[in-house]
Amino acid sequence: MRAYLSERVGAAVLMAPLLLFLVLAYAWPFLGVVKWSFTLPTPGLGQYNALLTDGLVQSVFIRTLRIAAIVTLVSVAAAYAITVVWVRGTPAQRVIAEFCILVPFWISVLTRAFGWVALLSNRGLINTWLQSIGFISEPLALVRNEFGVIVGMTHFLIPFAVFPLASSMRSLDDRVLLAARGLGSSRMRTFWTVFVPMTRSGIIGSAMIVFVFSLGFFVTPAILGGGRSVMIAELIYLRIFQSPDWGLGAAISVVLVLFVGALMALLFRYVRPKQLI
């Protein structure tokens, strides 16, 4: 009993600095933001009422959810294919897949965003090449719209979607797959009816992580959207630093944090923690 209590106390002592840091760095400033949402410009629930009645805010929320959902779907699908190669491919395929997964982490999000502008703009590489071969007569609108935002965000988030999937795939028992093959199942049927369902936890974890990241994206939508596809993080920035309407910006921030918190609670409720490592 004493040994058990000693271990618990020791663990609490070791965790105390981290908890203190989290309180001072995150919880305390967030409480200040919550206070602003109820007190600026006048005390009351006016800012939260504006969230329900302001058409601009509602349209930005809907656009953010729509883009986040599309990015999540595309990112998880692409990450699944890459992860299958990384986990179950030949040694050469694994090296190439690992290179494609890790290299993007060495490039800043700002550099990547401007790289996509160079590719997708009216005078970018893609439009210039398509016009040179006569495939199009006028440049395609590939940037400063939702399409450009989705492309840039998907490219950034695919590596983050890979790791939960890789953890899930590596935990599979190959004997189950061999048993399915031994019973006459084709490779494709084994993949869809055995392999994919057994990696469901990884798919859910990957989707939740990508969706949560997408909700708070700022740099990529601001650059590739060109002010025409404003998402919720950019709206908060505009309300706080340019309007200024600190009360409404704070209320939007509080709602976003609570929404993300609810998503993370669902994540840890339905997905085993080891699937996220």
Side-chain angles (χ1 to χ4, degrees), residues 37 44-55 57-58 248 251 255:
S37 69
L45 298 174
Q47 301 302 337
Y48 291 95
N49 182 58
L51 296 180
L52 301 175
T53 58
D54 192 320
V57 176
Q58 292 176 357
L248 183 58
V255 171

Side-chain angles (χ1 to χ4, degrees), residues 11-170:
V13 171
L14 292 175
M15 290 292 294
L18 176 60
L19 295 176
L20 180 61
F21 171 78
L22 292 176
V23 170
L24 295 177
Y26 295 99
W28 187 256
F30 178 68
L31 291 177
V33 174
V34 174
K35 179 182 177 182
W36 290 351
S37 69
F38 287 104
T39 59
L40 296 178
T42 57
L45 298 174
Q47 301 302 337
Y48 291 95
N49 182 58
L51 296 180
L52 301 175
T53 58
D54 192 320
L56 173 62
V57 176
Q58 292 176 357
S59 66
V60 172
F61 264 108
I62 294 173
R63 181 184 301 116
T64 300
L65 293 174
R66 180 175 64 248
I67 292 177
I70 296 173
V71 169
T72 300
L73 180 64
V74 177
S75 297
V76 173
Y80 200 94
I82 295 171
T83 308
V84 169
V85 175
W86 187 29
V87 174
R88 310 191 70 84
T90 64
Q93 291 173 336
R94 293 180 184 181
V95 170
I96 295 173
E98 189 167 346
F99 181 81
C100 294
I101 293 166
L102 296 180
V103 166
F105 285 107
W106 304 342
I107 306 172
S108 72
V109 60
L110 192 63
T111 303
R112 284 192 254 182
F114 281 112
W116 279 111
V117 171
L119 285 172
L120 302 176
S121 64
N122 289 344
R123 296 184 179 181
L125 295 177
I126 293 178
N127 274 313
T128 301
W129 177 71
L130 291 176
Q131 286 179 297
S132 66
I133 63 175
F135 191 78
I136 58 174
S137 58
E138 297 291 334
L140 300 175
L142 302 177
V143 75
R144 294 183 176 86
N145 50 33
E146 287 191 17
F147 176 79
V149 173
I150 291 171
V151 170
M153 290 176 60
T154 300
H155 174 251
F156 182 86
L157 289 171
I158 285 176
F160 291 95
V162 165
F163 294 107
L165 292 170
S167 176
S168 179
M169 290 181 189
R170 289 194 175 105

Side-chain angles (χ1 to χ4, degrees), residues 255-268:
V255 171
L256 181 61
V257 170
L258 293 178
F259 183 65
V260 170
L263 289 178
M264 295 305 296
L266 289 174
L267 172 63
F268 286 104

